[in-house]
Amino acid sequence: MQSPYPDPTGEDESQSITNRRIQRLSLHLTPNYPQPKNDATHHQLQLLECAKAAMLKVDTDSLSNYLRGKHKDIQDRVLDYFNNRPDLQTPLEILKDDHRELCMRQLVALVRDAGIRPFRYVIEDPAKYFAILEAVGSVDVSLAIKMGVQYSLWGGSVLNLGTKKHKDKYFDGIDNMDYPGCFAMTELHHGSNVQGLQTVATFDPLTDEFIIDTPNDGAIKWWIGNAAVHGKFATVFAKLMLPTHDTKGVSDMGVHAFIVPIRDFETHQTLPGIEIHDCGHKVGLNGVDNGALRFHSVRIPRDNLLNRFGDVSRDGKYTSSLPSINKRFAATLGELVGGRVGLAYSSVSVLKIAAIIAIRYSLLRQQFGPPKQPEVTILDYQSHQHKLMPMLASTYAFHFATLHLVEKYAEMKKTHDEQLVGDVHSLSAGLKAYVTGYTAKSLSICREACGGHGYAAVNRFGSLRNDHDIFQTFEGDNTVLLQQVAGDLLKQYKEKFQGGTLTVTWNYLRESMNSYLSQPNPVTARWESEDHLRDPKFQLDAFRYRTSRLLQSVAVRLRKHSKTLGSFGAWNRCLNHLLTLAESHIESVILATFIESVQNCPDASSRAALKLVCDLYALERIWKDIGTYRNVDYVAPNKAKAIHKLSEYLSFRVRNIARELIDAFDIPDHVTRAPIAMQSDAYSHYTQYVGF
């Protein structure tokens, strides 16, 4: 078998730093890396080989430039502005009401004083908008959410669901913060099931108005950002009811969006017929004023209907370019996917900060050591590497995947291509669910990796975890979103066998489904060399094989159970299988994007570092689901063992460039703000904080 590790011949014995590291590692880590047969000296030289292999030089500046791209300058403007404004920095201990007012002042100052106008980029340059959102979230996650409510949700609903008359009337006020607003979709009884909303908007042809009503407690609009304190307007989602001359009296035209003023523009008092209550203190994001709205026969002009996909004339006639309620509903929600794109992108930003804090601390902290020798850095322990290095690899993978999503979203906004709209809708659902779920788990791992010091609020894991936790729920519950992905996969599966055209994200299914239907190759199932295991084709084929296998098997199960349980019962019976399928597909997309990003990197040293990180991401994921591959003999037992050992070895190598990899994120100390992660004299920062 070809050795996966470099020959030690030519190692410079004068490198004292390398020798000291070898001595430490030989006593503490002793990972069992694969050995070629008939090489009696290989065992003694393993760690020497590892040290040599790990001497990868990384040009941090080049890698950082590749990661941050063309919007680095606008992000630096945001970060520098808040760094130079201590009065706008969120203190560690702050009351809910004070936090809300500070958050509003931060957003107004960003727009009016710093001159950064995010709303102008929502449509014309979404990538720039999301770059600003990422930087703002580094200042305070509550501020990012408040900005998202104002511009992505309230402002985005006007731009995406309205027509020219709405843009002309509201754009400037939304842009300059004169018109703070809300996005009133969620109700007490309905969140994910938007078509089940109960709020009604009944047209009155006598007065040319819509009457907005909350028919019962379950229809109260709930968790509405900006509603409790600051909002003056709300985009209210309600069933549009038109009067008819039949026995029913009204006709339900489906859920539409309406602009409803909720507070007096001069006095800021609640307007007649509108009832507003505060949702109170939350687990996190207490800088956002979430409230509940009830409407008592609130009248609004007919022009306040956001009428891009459906309109009502003066005489009460309904017109739409889309033929059915379902198609209008799909078009409406399709225009609102920007929120999911933003959450996936912002979640990666939170993960970066948490990873930086945990890894910097782990590079600094020393515990235990050989007798009469210095203590060992905790990141030199294999168990710590196992916690943090695959997470760092995933952070890089998610960075490129969400950038890819932003690019596709920006293209969709320009072209309005129907196929691309469907692709972005499913991809944004899957990445939002997968990335936010992973980040939520990783925040706890990072806290634990920093021991007791990770529990200090000043080191930020608590606030990051609390603020981020809701990312798994709003803009679509993660479990529901993954079901959307699974549903789209099954639709594509059906198209494949009917000879239809697959959308771009699913193109791989045509080839990999054919591979699945044939038997695994008994030769390739046993290849164990490093070149083979680090070959992007092997890695991507393995990911896609798993997805194809899950897709074919769940399709068979659904067909079987539908005969006795019906479609709904069959879906529920196979639900866990469907969720696994969706996650597998998203992992395939993430890996494909990562591989392409590695290949496109222009700097050789950065490309080598990214290749190493990408290989760790791929092999660690394959190993985590090795049972799937073994069950069908996709990999032989010895190959499975080789995958495991190589992934451990790659984790060790990534550890040796971990500092450069986190530095390439280019997130300064005044953004991470954790004393245990300061790049210089961290312990002094920490002791000063507690008063020494």
Side-chain angles (χ1 to χ4, degrees):
M1 184 182 77
Q2 177 184 342
S3 171
Y5 308 109
D7 189 285
T9 305
E11 177 70 13
D12 186 354
E13 298 294 340
S14 66
Q15 295 182 359
S16 59
I17 295 176
T18 300
N19 289 337
R20 283 200 302 272
R21 181 174 296 283
I22 294 169
Q23 290 171 359
R24 291 179 184 178
L25 292 172
S26 66
L27 290 167
H28 290 277
L29 303 182
T30 60
N32 183 23
Y33 300 121
Q35 305 174 39
K37 297 175 182 177
N38 304 320
D39 187 352
T41 64
H42 186 76
H43 181 69
Q44 289 81 6
L45 296 173
Q46 284 174 346
L47 294 171
L48 187 63
E49 291 178 290
C50 289
K52 180 182 177 184
M55 301 299 287
L56 182 64
K57 301 295 183 183
V58 181
D59 185 337
T60 305
D61 290 338
S62 295
L63 180 55
S64 181
N65 288 334
Y66 184 59
L67 290 173
R68 297 194 62 188
K70 62 181 180 180
H71 298 305
K72 177 180 183 295
D73 290 344
I74 190 73
Q75 289 187 317
D76 288 343
R77 276 183 62 194
V78 172
L79 297 176
D80 290 344
Y81 175 74
F82 283 105
N83 188 44
N84 294 320
R85 288 288 304 271
D87 59 309
L88 293 178
Q89 294 170 11
T90 306
L92 182 63
E93 298 180 33
I94 185 170
L95 297 174
K96 168 177 66 67
D97 292 344
D98 294 339
H99 196 180
R100 289 173 170 183
E101 290 309 314
L102 174 61
C103 227
M104 187 63 171
R105 285 195 295 112
Q106 288 170 331
L107 185 54
V108 170
L110 178 72
V111 171
R112 297 179 183 173
D113 185 37
I116 294 172
R117 298 294 184 90
F119 193 45
R120 300 181 181 185
Y121 307 118
V122 168
I123 298 294
E124 65 184 52
D125 192 351
K128 192 169 187 176
Y129 173 80
F130 290 124
I132 296 170
L133 189 70
E134 179 183 26
V136 164
S138 299
V139 175
D140 187 334
V141 182
S142 284
L143 175 58
I145 298 304
K146 195 167 187 72
M147 174 181 143
V149 170
Q150 175 69 12
Y151 296 130
S152 293
L153 298 182
W154 153 234
S157 64
V158 173
L159 294 182
N160 293 313
L161 303 181
T163 49
K164 184 177 183 300
K165 62 183 178 184
H166 300 110
K167 297 169 191 174
D168 291 345
K169 183 175 181 178
Y170 293 102
F171 186 95
D172 289 343
I174 295 171
D175 179 49
N176 63 23
M177 290 298 296
D178 282 344
Y179 293 173
C182 317
F183 185 83
M185 177 180 280
T186 299
E187 295 178 354
L188 182 59
H189 283 183
H190 288 88
S192 299
N193 182 13
V194 179
Q195 279 188 298
L197 296 180
Q198 298 178 66
T199 301
V200 293
T202 306
F203 181 62
D204 182 353
L206 297 178
T207 60
D208 197 25
E209 294 173 318
F210 286 103
I211 305 168
I212 311 295
D213 259 312
T214 302
N216 54 61
D217 287 353
I220 295 171
K221 296 295 183 180
W222 209 273
W223 293 123
I224 309 305
N226 270 358
V229 179
H230 298 125
K232 296 184 187 300
F233 298 89
T235 295
V236 176
F237 288 81
K239 293 188 294 184
L240 195 163
M241 312 297 286
L242 291 179
T244 62
H245 301 292
D246 57 20
T247 55
K248 291 183 179 178
V250 292
S251 177
D252 182 354
M253 307 308 296
V255 174
H256 288 63
F258 304 82
I259 295 176
V260 182
I262 59 174
R263 286 187 173 92
D264 185 273
F265 207 77
E266 301 297 328
T267 67
H268 204 64
Q269 295 299 306
T270 304
L271 291 172
I274 293 173
E275 195 177 342
I276 303 177
H277 293 275
D278 196 324
C279 287
H281 199 276
K282 306 185 293 292
V283 171
L285 296 179
N286 281 298
V288 182
D289 53 313
N290 293 88
L293 300 171
R294 184 196 287 270
F295 304 98
H296 302 276
S297 299
V298 176
R299 290 181 172 267
I300 59 171
R302 178 170 54 89
D303 276 352
N304 283 27
L305 166 66
L306 293 172
N307 62 336
R308 178 179 171 189
F309 297 116
D311 202 2
V312 176
S313 65
R314 177 65 185 87
D315 59 357
K317 295 289 193 301
Y318 184 85
T319 56
S320 174
S321 59
L322 301 171
S324 69
I325 287 178
N326 286 339
K327 285 194 175 294
R328 292 192 293 270
F329 179 73
T332 298
L333 292 192
E335 288 297 327
L336 301 175
V337 298
R340 292 174 186 169
V341 175
L343 281 181
Y345 195 81
S346 297
S347 183
V348 178
S349 178
V350 173
L351 182 58
K352 287 176 186 175
I353 292 173
I356 287 172
I357 296 171
I359 292 171
R360 280 216 182 111
Y361 175 78
S362 301
L363 288 164
L364 168 74
R365 181 74 166 181
Q366 294 178 330
Q367 289 292 284
F368 305 107
K372 299 180 182 180
Q373 292 191 39
E375 290 185 299
V376 174
T377 302
I378 62 174
L379 197 55
D380 281 340
Y381 287 99
Q382 190 182 48
S383 57
H384 223 67
Q385 293 171 16
H386 182 68
K387 286 181 182 178
L388 297 179
M389 295 304 96
M391 182 191 302
L392 179 57
S394 294
T395 306
Y396 267 80
F398 298 165
H399 169 86
F400 291 116
T402 52
L403 274 181
H404 170 70
L405 173 61
V406 168
E407 290 168 1
K408 289 181 76 74
Y409 175 77
E411 183 184 354
M412 181 198 81
K413 299 303 289 183
K414 288 179 181 177
T415 65
H416 300 288
D417 179 79
E418 187 175 335
Q419 194 176 65
L420 191 56
V421 169
D423 206 17
V424 170
H425 184 269
S426 185
L427 186 58
S428 63
L431 280 174
K432 183 268 183 188
Y434 189 90
V435 171
T436 59
Y438 185 95
T439 298
K441 296 180 181 72
S442 298
L443 286 166
S444 290
I445 293 171
C446 286
R447 204 291 303 158
E448 293 166 15
C450 295
H453 296 312
Y455 198 61
V458 70
N459 290 319
R460 298 201 62 198
F461 291 120
S463 60
L464 288 172
R465 186 166 55 188
N466 290 346
D467 286 343
H468 177 275
D469 192 64
I470 193 62
F471 281 37
Q472 300 172 93
T473 302
F474 61 19
E475 290 293 326
D477 174 85
N478 283 0
T479 302
V480 174
L481 294 183
L482 289 173
Q483 289 180 72
Q484 291 182 14
V485 175
D488 281 340
L489 283 165
L490 286 162
K491 179 181 176 183
Q492 297 292 329
Y493 175 77
K494 182 179 178 181
E495 288 286 325
K496 189 263 184 213
F497 286 103
Q498 291 179 347
T501 302
L502 277 70
T503 56
V504 175
T505 302
W506 286 272
N507 271 340
Y508 75 85
L509 287 175
R510 190 178 301 281
E511 182 177 344
S512 57
M513 283 302 298
N514 290 335
S515 299
Y516 170 69
L517 294 173
S518 63
Q519 292 298 314
N521 187 317
V523 177
T524 56
R526 287 164 174 75
W527 286 351
E528 303 172 30
S529 71
E530 180 184 8
D531 286 346
H532 170 65
L533 297 180
R534 295 188 66 183
D535 183 348
K537 185 179 186 310
F538 158 72
Q539 296 166 2
L540 200 51
D541 282 350
F543 275 51
R544 290 173 169 176
Y545 176 88
R546 178 185 55 170
T547 304
S548 300
R549 178 177 178 275
L550 287 164
L551 178 54
Q552 197 269 351
S553 58
V554 81
V556 171
R557 288 186 66 205
L558 285 169
R559 196 157 48 240
K560 171 187 171 184
H561 291 305
S562 293
K563 296 174 182 177
T564 55
L565 300 176
S567 58
F568 182 86
W571 187 271
N572 194 35
R573 174 68 64 88
C574 301
L575 187 50
N576 289 334
H577 192 159
L578 290 160
L579 297 177
T580 303
L581 164 65
E583 290 178 340
S584 177
H585 168 66
I586 293 302
E587 286 175 354
S588 297
V589 174
I590 291 170
L591 179 60
T593 307
F594 201 172
I595 290 170
E596 184 178 359
S597 300
V598 172
Q599 294 168 346
N600 290 340
C601 182
D603 176 68
S605 73
S606 300
R607 190 165 58 251
L610 290 174
K611 178 68 169 70
L612 184 67
V613 174
C614 184
D615 289 340
L616 175 58
Y617 172 78
L619 293 177
E620 194 264 346
R621 287 304 314 140
I622 292 172
W623 172 250
K624 276 189 175 294
D625 202 18
I626 198 66
T628 296
Y629 298 105
R630 284 291 305 118
N631 285 342
V632 293
D633 287 329
Y634 190 83
V635 296
N638 285 345
K639 184 172 186 174
K641 187 183 296 184
I643 289 169
H644 183 217
K645 291 182 177 180
L646 181 56
S647 67
E648 285 187 341
Y649 169 68
L650 294 176
S651 185
F652 171 82
R653 290 195 62 191
V654 170
R655 175 262 174 268
N656 279 284
I657 57 170
R659 189 184 303 278
E660 290 85 350
L661 290 172
I662 59 173
D663 286 350
F665 290 142
D666 197 18
I667 300 177
D669 284 350
H670 67 81
V671 174
T672 56
R673 300 197 302 279
I676 60 170
M678 294 296 173
Q679 296 187 68
S680 61
D681 208 11
Y683 280 126
S684 294
H685 287 285
Y686 198 19
T687 54
Q688 288 170 17
Y689 166 74
V690 298
F692 288 100

